[in-house]
Amino acid sequence: MKIEIWSDIMCPWCYIGKARLDKAIERLGESGRDDVDVVWRSFELRPDQPRTPGATLGEMMREKLGLQPGETVELFEKIRVLGEAEGLDIRLTGVRPVNSFDAQRLVHLAADSGLAHRMKSELFRTYLTEQQNVADHGVLMRTATGAGLDADAVEAVLASDAYGEDVREDERAAARRGVTGVPTVFVDGVRVATGVPSVDQFHRALVEAG
């Protein structure tokens, strides 16, 4: 079965969704896991965001959404607890959003060698746990090679516009299929529950597709 996931590295809900999907796939057993093809699709939450870190996520949410400091603290704590339940360490206080286009391009590079799933995990951890700048090419190089990608191939992609059109096509496909937020997951073309599906919801969708 084919699982397509539109996501952005900037999105902590996507990190939680990936962890839940991984658990649902594990429930399928060895034979079931072998039939699963996970395809990561690109989606930029903030395509105009600069590559250089600026305001924190909390500051941006207070400015653009009108939230009060206490509200962002409460939300970040809720996300931290939900992440912890899935075995993740999500630290949103101090996170500074940046442009994710180059990171998205490297996920496509990783897909060529079957490493996209691992690359997504490494990118999420680098940004949402270590609070590093995932638009910085040095950080991306370390993250990508840590995920098993060839250093020369990574360097060549970062020095060019390679896979840029793949990112844009994913975004055009998102528009065609009504994807307006992330994470959005399709299993064999059928959209899974909106928001961040639970492990049970993911598993049920996989079983029904199988």
Side-chain angles (χ1 to χ4, degrees):
M1 73 188 73
K2 183 177 182 180
I3 303 173
E4 296 173 273
I5 311 168
W6 272 266
S7 73
D8 190 358
I9 292 89
M10 300 291 105
C11 171
W13 298 109
C14 296
Y15 196 12
I16 292 170
K18 180 185 181 300
R20 290 177 178 176
L21 175 62
D22 286 344
K23 291 180 179 179
I25 292 173
E26 281 298 312
R27 284 190 188 178
L28 297 177
E30 186 174 350
S31 59
R33 290 195 300 269
D34 292 342
D35 293 331
V36 172
D37 177 25
V38 178
V39 180
W40 288 96
R41 301 294 189 193
S42 302
F43 191 102
E44 295 174 276
L45 286 169
R46 302 179 183 87
D48 297 325
Q49 192 74 19
R51 299 174 188 275
T52 303
T56 66
L57 177 60
E59 290 168 342
M60 291 175 63
M61 294 177 71
R62 289 192 288 273
E63 178 182 350
K64 296 183 178 180
L65 302 177
L67 298 180
Q68 297 302 309
E71 292 176 302
T72 57
V73 169
E74 183 178 347
L75 175 60
F76 291 172
E77 176 62 13
K78 174 184 176 181
I79 293 172
R80 186 197 68 78
V81 171
L82 288 172
E84 186 175 58
E86 306 302 338
L88 308 176
D89 181 10
I90 299 177
R91 307 176 186 181
L92 294 180
T93 302
V95 157
R96 297 177 186 273
V98 291
N99 189 283
S100 64
F101 186 71
D102 284 344
Q104 302 277 10
R105 293 196 297 129
L106 289 181
V107 174
H108 281 279
L109 169 66
D112 288 345
S113 52
L115 293 171
H117 208 60
R118 182 175 174 185
M119 182 64 177
K120 288 292 291 194
S121 289
E122 291 298 311
L123 285 167
F124 281 134
R125 182 180 56 80
T126 299
Y127 176 64
L128 293 168
T129 299
E130 298 179 356
Q131 301 182 340
Q132 295 190 52
N133 177 6
V134 288
D136 180 85
H137 284 190
V139 172
L140 286 174
M141 173 64 77
R142 290 193 297 274
T143 303
T145 53
L149 276 67
D150 177 75
D152 290 339
V154 174
E155 184 176 15
V157 169
L158 292 176
S160 69
D161 60 359
Y163 297 98
E165 181 56 27
D166 297 84
V167 174
R168 296 302 180 219
E169 176 52 34
D170 280 352
E171 293 172 339
R172 289 191 289 268
R176 291 193 300 269
R177 298 175 71 172
V179 175
T180 57
V182 289
T184 298
V185 183
F186 289 83
V187 178
D188 283 347
V190 178
R191 188 168 182 162
V192 180
T194 57
V196 185
S198 66
V199 176
D200 287 340
Q201 286 174 315
F202 269 131
H203 183 253
R204 184 162 56 251
L206 299 180
V207 170
E208 290 174 355

